[in-house]
Amino acid sequence: MITLCLSKRLIERGDLRDFVAHSDVAEGTYVELTVTDTGCGMDEATRSRVFEPFFSTKFAGRGLGMAAVLGIVRGHKGAIRLTSEPGKGTTVTALLPAAGPEVGLASAPTPTVPVARPANAAVLVVDDNARVLQAVSQLVEALGYPVMTATSGREALSVFGERHAQIGCVLLDLTMPDMDGVETMQALRAVDPKARIVLSSGYSEQSVRRRVSGDGPTGFLQKPFVEDDLKAAIEEALRASGDANE
């Protein structure tokens, strides 16, 4: 059985003693989300590694879930705690800063005016999650770039092999089945050593780059990201390839 609880708490520094937290976490009002299960629980060795990227106790697991959760919580300047004992289940508590009373409804965003781009500035967006692929593709189009899409590393290789002369950069998700982002990046570079690739992940840039041997990605985009982050990552990749502003 899984139980979810949501509450509002005033957090002081001493309350964060057992939490894994962003360095900028401050005292104040937080929304506390608690998820408790009645499963088999974890021993101390497992608990100590649960937020470690690519660690999993499951044969078919990729070990990315809790590491991604930690990245998201830190990205929002929050904190997270996991408590568990064998035979007694697990409780995960996340603290996220609460919005102040002055926060109102967001005004409608000003539509972005598409800007003409060079013919070889298309962006190949690669993600195995259909909703994420659609959302990111729409953002890229709103920024004025032609878009190509792929739902897997193998499909990305096929598209890139046929049309890489038109592709300014590849926006590549790290976590994909069959071929992950690092494997796909290496395969794309085998087709074109100058391929400009922006890796996207919920993990920190440091943890991702530790996985990469040889030439790393041209850029890195940490999830969750906003339109300005995406724009900056694409423009930086195009500048690196010499295609931007031509």
Side-chain angles (χ1 to χ4, degrees):
M1 183 175 68
I2 297 177
T3 303
L4 302 178
C5 294
L6 189 65
S7 60
K8 192 174 182 181
R9 283 187 59 189
L10 181 62
I11 297 296
E12 299 179 350
R13 292 303 305 176
D15 298 323
L16 297 170
R17 187 178 303 108
D18 298 325
F19 282 79
V20 180
H22 188 283
S23 58
D24 292 337
V25 169
E27 295 182 341
T29 303
Y30 285 76
V31 174
E32 180 181 74
L33 172 64
T34 303
V35 182
T36 302
D37 69 34
T38 55
C40 61
M42 306 178 195
D43 58 23
E44 183 178 355
T46 303
R47 289 196 308 271
S48 67
R49 301 186 63 188
V50 71
F51 293 114
E52 181 180 319
F54 313 109
F55 170 74
S56 176
T57 59
K58 299 178 180 178
F59 177 74
R62 290 180 288 178
L64 302 175
M66 292 306 297
V69 170
L70 175 60
I72 292 169
V73 169
R74 281 179 165 168
H76 287 83
K77 297 185 179 180
I80 191 168
R81 176 181 65 194
L82 182 144
T83 58
S84 183
E85 291 184 39
K88 296 185 179 181
T90 299
T91 297
V92 177
T93 303
L95 298 174
L96 298 173
E102 73 281 359
V103 175
L105 294 175
S107 58
T110 303
T112 302
V113 178
V115 179
R117 303 291 180 181
N120 58 342
V123 177
L124 173 57
V125 182
V126 188
D127 201 301
D128 63 313
N129 186 306
R131 291 185 177 180
V132 173
L133 183 66
Q134 180 182 20
V136 175
S137 298
Q138 290 174 344
L139 280 176
V140 174
E141 286 182 333
L143 292 172
Y145 296 96
V147 177
M148 304 175 194
T149 61
T151 58
S152 69
R154 297 194 185 282
E155 185 180 358
L157 278 174
S158 177
V159 173
F160 191 79
E162 294 176 0
R163 306 179 67 181
H164 69 270
Q166 303 168 38
I167 297 172
C169 74
V170 180
L171 181 59
L172 181 59
D173 183 39
L174 174 66
T175 308
M176 298 186 295
D178 191 17
M179 291 180 65
D180 67 13
V182 173
E183 293 170 322
T184 303
M185 178 180 69
Q186 293 168 344
L188 292 172
R189 291 267 173 80
V191 176
D192 181 357
K194 295 183 180 180
R196 302 299 167 171
I197 298 168
V198 178
L199 271 181
S200 178
S201 174
Y203 302 122
S204 69
E205 182 174 1
Q206 292 77 11
S207 65
V208 172
R209 289 189 181 275
R210 283 197 293 267
R211 291 193 56 202
V212 180
S213 58
D215 291 337
T218 312
F220 180 79
L221 190 58
Q222 184 161 10
K223 296 179 179 178
F225 55 82
V226 295
E227 184 176 336
D228 287 346
D229 299 331
L230 177 63
K231 179 182 178 182
I234 293 174
E235 290 181 347
E236 182 180 354
L238 292 178
R239 281 195 297 271
S241 66
D243 292 333
N245 301 322
E246 291 182 1

